[in-house]
Amino acid sequence: MSTPYLFLNVVELTQETDDAVTIHLEHPNRQTLPSEAGQFLTLILPCGPGGKKERRAYSLSSTPSEAPRLSVTVKRVTGGLVSNYLLDTVRVGQQLEAMAPLGNFVIKTSPKTARSLVLVGAGSGITPLMSMLKAVLREEPQSHVLLVYGNRNEASVIFREQLQQLEAQYAGRFQVEHVYSQPTGPVAAHQHVGRLNRTMLLRILEQRHQFPAAQAEYYLCGPDGMMLEAKSALELLGVPAGNIRRESFVAAAETQETAAAQPNGHGDVSTADDDGQLKTRTVTVNYEGSEYQIEVAPDQTILEAALDLDIDLPYSCQAGLCTACRGKCHSGKVHLDEREGLSDSELKQGYVLVCVAHPLTSDVVIEID
């Protein structure tokens, strides 16, 4: 599956909060672009020094049923090059370069499915969860959704009015529990004061969740600290690890693991490099019908070496999380600095992410999806 580059028209802008805007995009001929609830869109913007193109991945807040429209919600980050560029310059009628929707943090819906879904997010972590909850509420009439959403105060709640409307529309099937660290007004029902930590989540689930905790499905998106707290709470409740999914675009160096892709296409997770050291090696990369010989230095990833040679491989987050640069290692072994973006099954099949990959042997051949 190749990842084509697209030019999308900005058709509408929705001001969600003082520092967050939803950008609604469509293909020029209103063609439907395949996507799944929870995936992200990579925007490629000329906002670097000298007009250099920068890439940022933004989760889709729209659902597949809203096609041909794709919507991303961008929150201003202090000093953030891309978020400030978007919020300050993007206008309706403008065209933005992007990559097709990608990502494994998805939820698949079925009209016959009846499940309890618990979504836990903070700040702009709401965006993929918003896509998921809208899709489930619309497509699964027997499913129930609980959203636990942390923010500084009421004014910083992204999608505040839309969430209220959905609660009214799907009364009895959808509820939102807001957690405010610094509320500015009186606290109402379904609002909690404090940090969205383990204690807070345990209290909310005990008071508000009407299903056995271990039987629900959980999707977490937000700062790493919040997700660690949530994971700890769910472990205390006996929730199986397979029922918990999480999304982060910040690589956690302290949890990095090593994955070695085997020549026979079956991977293994190991904590030791193949020969104990990284050295300059030449890697063969096949992409879109072309074969490239790329010399990779010890301090480079395969992607960095390719970009230095002006080889335009697909990529987005450059942190081993988003899978935009996924490829299959057909021979040789590579070391991955981060494996969060790949499932155990993908690793066993020999898949790697070239943005965090270093060659360990001299016979590495990778085919980019």
Side-chain angles (χ1 to χ4, degrees), residues 95-289:
Q95 204 166 65
L96 301 182
E97 187 176 2
M99 293 169 67
L102 287 167
N104 294 330
F105 183 67
V106 297
I107 193 163
K108 299 182 187 295
T109 58
S110 168
K112 295 181 180 178
T113 299
R115 58 178 148 185
S116 169
L117 196 65
V118 178
L119 310 175
V120 183
S124 57
I126 184 64
T127 41
L129 304 181
M130 188 68 176
S131 176
M132 291 175 173
L133 71 88
K134 287 191 296 183
V136 169
L137 290 172
R138 182 179 185 277
E139 307 290 342
E140 297 183 0
Q142 300 176 80
S143 292
H144 291 75
V145 182
L146 168 66
L147 171 66
V148 182
Y149 185 20
N151 283 284
R152 179 179 287 108
N153 53 43
E154 299 88 335
S156 59
V157 177
I158 301 173
F159 310 125
R160 186 179 179 185
E161 290 185 8
Q162 199 176 155
L163 287 170
Q164 289 176 343
Q165 291 167 1
L166 289 168
E167 271 195 296
Q169 182 180 351
Y170 295 101
R173 289 184 50 218
F174 177 51
Q175 65 184 100
V176 184
E177 297 291 326
H178 290 283
V179 179
Y180 300 130
S181 58
Q182 299 172 33
T184 54
V187 178
H190 303 288
Q191 296 182 357
H192 311 267
V193 178
R195 285 180 58 237
L196 180 44
N197 55 18
R198 182 177 70 174
T199 303
M200 177 69 74
L201 186 57
L202 286 170
R203 184 185 309 141
I204 290 172
L205 290 176
E206 181 183 348
Q207 293 175 354
R208 308 295 190 190
H209 195 221
Q210 52 188 303
F211 301 93
Q215 294 175 19
E217 296 176 29
Y218 298 83
Y219 287 78
L220 320 176
C221 189
D224 281 345
M226 181 221 81
M227 292 200 292
L228 286 171
E229 291 276 334
K231 190 166 179 288
S232 176
L234 299 180
E235 286 172 352
L236 278 175
L237 293 171
V239 177
N243 287 17
I244 306 170
R245 299 285 308 281
R246 64 193 189 103
E247 175 81 312
S248 170
F249 284 109
V250 180
E254 67 273 15
T255 61
Q256 288 176 354
E257 297 180 61
T258 300
Q262 307 287 351
N264 60 8
H266 295 289
D268 184 26
V269 177
S270 163
T271 55
D273 289 352
D274 186 51
D275 60 1
Q277 61 180 337
L278 296 173
K279 59 182 72 171
T280 299
R281 303 181 194 274
T282 298
V283 172
T284 300
V285 174
N286 294 305
Y287 176 56
E288 291 193 334

Side-chain angles (χ1 to χ4, degrees), residues 9-23:
N9 294 333
V10 179
V11 294
E12 189 181 348
L13 298 171
T14 304
Q15 191 79 37
E16 304 290 355
T17 66
D18 288 345
D19 61 357
V21 170
T22 296
I23 303 171

